Amino acid sequence: MGNKNKTVSFRVNEDAFETLREIAEERDISLSAVFRDYVDMLVAHDGQVEVVPEHELPAESDDEPSFPPTVEVPKSFVREHERLELEAEHLREQLDEHKRYVDQLREQLEQDEEVIHLEDLDGERDEPYHLG
């Protein structure tokens, strides 16, 4: 059987929430990712996790990766990502515009009392129409 994801929900006070949001922004990850990282760490260490202030952490050697991990990407990748985000935003705006137009047409159709459906016309004729 597959491992299903479960949702965990709980409340925190506003100050704690803002602090968690700042942590997420500093790490450039989502708020959910902060919690997933913490839960993964708790599970990996059987719930035995100690919080240590940064200034008390041992100095990092060159062979140990830093936390959070960092990756350098080419500027062209960043530019392409930004371009795609702008294009996606533009497409969402166009979609919203088309939805508004379709809604307007539907409203217009509902308001128009003189609507003739083509399938109704077909039923009124006794003989099929022949071109010729």
PDB file of all heavy atoms in Angstrom, residues 30-43:
ATOM      1  N   SER A  30       8.235  27.508   1.749  1.00  0.00           N
ATOM      2  CA  SER A  30       6.869  27.758   2.202  1.00  0.00           C
ATOM      3  C   SER A  30       6.750  27.487   3.692  1.00  0.00           C
ATOM      4  O   SER A  30       7.576  26.787   4.289  1.00  0.00           O
ATOM      5  CB  SER A  30       5.887  26.863   1.443  1.00  0.00           C
ATOM      6  OG  SER A  30       6.062  25.515   1.837  1.00  0.00           O
ATOM      7  N   LEU A  31       5.707  28.036   4.278  1.00  0.00           N
ATOM      8  CA  LEU A  31       5.446  27.812   5.691  1.00  0.00           C
ATOM      9  C   LEU A  31       5.219  26.318   5.945  1.00  0.00           C
ATOM     10  O   LEU A  31       5.688  25.764   6.941  1.00  0.00           O
ATOM     11  CB  LEU A  31       4.228  28.627   6.121  1.00  0.00           C
ATOM     12  CG  LEU A  31       3.969  28.805   7.594  1.00  0.00           C
ATOM     13  CD1 LEU A  31       5.188  29.376   8.301  1.00  0.00           C
ATOM     14  CD2 LEU A  31       2.786  29.721   7.817  1.00  0.00           C
ATOM     15  N   SER A  32       4.544  25.657   5.033  1.00  0.00           N
ATOM     16  CA  SER A  32       4.320  24.213   5.161  1.00  0.00           C
ATOM     17  C   SER A  32       5.633  23.452   5.167  1.00  0.00           C
ATOM     18  O   SER A  32       5.794  22.482   5.909  1.00  0.00           O
ATOM     19  CB  SER A  32       3.456  23.698   4.012  1.00  0.00           C
ATOM     20  OG  SER A  32       2.192  24.289   4.052  1.00  0.00           O
ATOM     21  N   ALA A  33       6.583  23.894   4.341  1.00  0.00           N
ATOM     22  CA  ALA A  33       7.879  23.214   4.281  1.00  0.00           C
ATOM     23  C   ALA A  33       8.619  23.328   5.607  1.00  0.00           C
ATOM     24  O   ALA A  33       9.333  22.400   6.008  1.00  0.00           O
ATOM     25  CB  ALA A  33       8.723  23.780   3.145  1.00  0.00           C
ATOM     26  N   VAL A  34       8.452  24.456   6.317  1.00  0.00           N
ATOM     27  CA  VAL A  34       9.084  24.605   7.633  1.00  0.00           C
ATOM     28  C   VAL A  34       8.584  23.506   8.556  1.00  0.00           C
ATOM     29  O   VAL A  34       9.366  22.827   9.234  1.00  0.00           O
ATOM     30  CB  VAL A  34       8.775  25.997   8.244  1.00  0.00           C
ATOM     31  CG1 VAL A  34       9.261  26.078   9.692  1.00  0.00           C
ATOM     32  CG2 VAL A  34       9.414  27.104   7.422  1.00  0.00           C
ATOM     33  N   PHE A  35       7.274  23.299   8.573  1.00  0.00           N
ATOM     34  CA  PHE A  35       6.694  22.271   9.438  1.00  0.00           C
ATOM     35  C   PHE A  35       7.076  20.870   8.981  1.00  0.00           C
ATOM     36  O   PHE A  35       7.373  20.010   9.803  1.00  0.00           O
ATOM     37  CB  PHE A  35       5.170  22.412   9.492  1.00  0.00           C
ATOM     38  CG  PHE A  35       4.735  23.591  10.303  1.00  0.00           C
ATOM     39  CD1 PHE A  35       4.250  24.722   9.687  1.00  0.00           C
ATOM     40  CD2 PHE A  35       4.835  23.574  11.686  1.00  0.00           C
ATOM     41  CE1 PHE A  35       3.851  25.814  10.426  1.00  0.00           C
ATOM     42  CE2 PHE A  35       4.435  24.661  12.434  1.00  0.00           C
ATOM     43  CZ  PHE A  35       3.950  25.793  11.808  1.00  0.00           C
ATOM     44  N   ARG A  36       7.077  20.628   7.674  1.00  0.00           N
ATOM     45  CA  ARG A  36       7.467  19.298   7.184  1.00  0.00           C
ATOM     46  C   ARG A  36       8.903  18.978   7.576  1.00  0.00           C
ATOM     47  O   ARG A  36       9.196  17.860   8.015  1.00  0.00           O
ATOM     48  CB  ARG A  36       7.290  19.214   5.670  1.00  0.00           C
ATOM     49  CG  ARG A  36       5.851  18.995   5.246  1.00  0.00           C
ATOM     50  CD  ARG A  36       5.754  18.623   3.774  1.00  0.00           C
ATOM     51  NE  ARG A  36       6.268  19.674   2.901  1.00  0.00           N
ATOM     52  CZ  ARG A  36       5.527  20.664   2.414  1.00  0.00           C
ATOM     53  NH1 ARG A  36       4.254  20.733   2.696  1.00  0.00           N
ATOM     54  NH2 ARG A  36       6.063  21.565   1.625  1.00  0.00           N
ATOM     55  N   ASP A  37       9.809  19.971   7.452  1.00  0.00           N
ATOM     56  CA  ASP A  37      11.202  19.756   7.853  1.00  0.00           C
ATOM     57  C   ASP A  37      11.286  19.402   9.332  1.00  0.00           C
ATOM     58  O   ASP A  37      12.006  18.490   9.734  1.00  0.00           O
ATOM     59  CB  ASP A  37      12.055  21.009   7.586  1.00  0.00           C
ATOM     60  CG  ASP A  37      12.275  21.281   6.110  1.00  0.00           C
ATOM     61  OD1 ASP A  37      11.967  20.391   5.291  1.00  0.00           O
ATOM     62  OD2 ASP A  37      12.743  22.386   5.784  1.00  0.00           O
ATOM     63  N   TYR A  38      10.541  20.132  10.151  1.00  0.00           N
ATOM     64  CA  TYR A  38      10.560  19.895  11.589  1.00  0.00           C
ATOM     65  C   TYR A  38       9.995  18.511  11.926  1.00  0.00           C
ATOM     66  O   TYR A  38      10.577  17.763  12.711  1.00  0.00           O
ATOM     67  CB  TYR A  38       9.772  20.987  12.313  1.00  0.00           C
ATOM     68  CG  TYR A  38       9.804  20.840  13.815  1.00  0.00           C
ATOM     69  CD1 TYR A  38      10.979  21.068  14.522  1.00  0.00           C
ATOM     70  CD2 TYR A  38       8.668  20.463  14.509  1.00  0.00           C
ATOM     71  CE1 TYR A  38      11.019  20.923  15.897  1.00  0.00           C
ATOM     72  CE2 TYR A  38       8.704  20.319  15.893  1.00  0.00           C
ATOM     73  CZ  TYR A  38       9.871  20.550  16.579  1.00  0.00           C
ATOM     74  OH  TYR A  38       9.910  20.393  17.938  1.00  0.00           O
ATOM     75  N   VAL A  39       8.872  18.157  11.293  1.00  0.00           N
ATOM     76  CA  VAL A  39       8.269  16.844  11.529  1.00  0.00           C
ATOM     77  C   VAL A  39       9.218  15.740  11.077  1.00  0.00           C
ATOM     78  O   VAL A  39       9.404  14.745  11.792  1.00  0.00           O
ATOM     79  CB  VAL A  39       6.900  16.731  10.815  1.00  0.00           C
ATOM     80  CG1 VAL A  39       6.390  15.304  10.800  1.00  0.00           C
ATOM     81  CG2 VAL A  39       5.890  17.654  11.475  1.00  0.00           C
ATOM     82  N   ASP A  40       9.841  15.896   9.913  1.00  0.00           N
ATOM     83  CA  ASP A  40      10.799  14.898   9.436  1.00  0.00           C
ATOM     84  C   ASP A  40      11.937  14.722  10.430  1.00  0.00           C
ATOM     85  O   ASP A  40      12.381  13.598  10.707  1.00  0.00           O
ATOM     86  CB  ASP A  40      11.360  15.291   8.064  1.00  0.00           C
ATOM     87  CG  ASP A  40      10.325  15.184   6.956  1.00  0.00           C
ATOM     88  OD1 ASP A  40       9.271  14.550   7.183  1.00  0.00           O
ATOM     89  OD2 ASP A  40      10.568  15.751   5.870  1.00  0.00           O
ATOM     90  N   MET A  41      12.415  15.843  10.988  1.00  0.00           N
ATOM     91  CA  MET A  41      13.504  15.785  11.961  1.00  0.00           C
ATOM     92  C   MET A  41      13.035  15.074  13.243  1.00  0.00           C
ATOM     93  O   MET A  41      13.755  14.241  13.799  1.00  0.00           O
ATOM     94  CB  MET A  41      13.992  17.197  12.290  1.00  0.00           C
ATOM     95  CG  MET A  41      15.282  17.231  13.088  1.00  0.00           C
ATOM     96  SD  MET A  41      15.805  18.916  13.502  1.00  0.00           S
ATOM     97  CE  MET A  41      15.793  19.713  11.923  1.00  0.00           C
ATOM     98  N   LEU A  42      11.843  15.385  13.701  1.00  0.00           N
ATOM     99  CA  LEU A  42      11.300  14.730  14.903  1.00  0.00           C
ATOM    100  C   LEU A  42      11.177  13.227  14.692  1.00  0.00           C
ATOM    101  O   LEU A  42      11.557  12.432  15.555  1.00  0.00           O
ATOM    102  CB  LEU A  42       9.927  15.305  15.247  1.00  0.00           C
ATOM    103  CG  LEU A  42       9.864  16.563  16.078  1.00  0.00           C
ATOM    104  CD1 LEU A  42       8.425  17.051  16.186  1.00  0.00           C
ATOM    105  CD2 LEU A  42      10.449  16.362  17.449  1.00  0.00           C
ATOM    106  N   VAL A  43      10.632  12.831  13.562  1.00  0.00           N
ATOM    107  CA  VAL A  43      10.437  11.419  13.274  1.00  0.00           C
ATOM    108  C   VAL A  43      11.783  10.703  13.157  1.00  0.00           C
ATOM    109  O   VAL A  43      11.971   9.606  13.697  1.00  0.00           O
ATOM    110  CB  VAL A  43       9.598  11.240  11.990  1.00  0.00           C
ATOM    111  CG1 VAL A  43       9.580   9.789  11.530  1.00  0.00           C
ATOM    112  CG2 VAL A  43       8.179  11.750  12.215  1.00  0.00           C
TER     113      VAL A  43
END
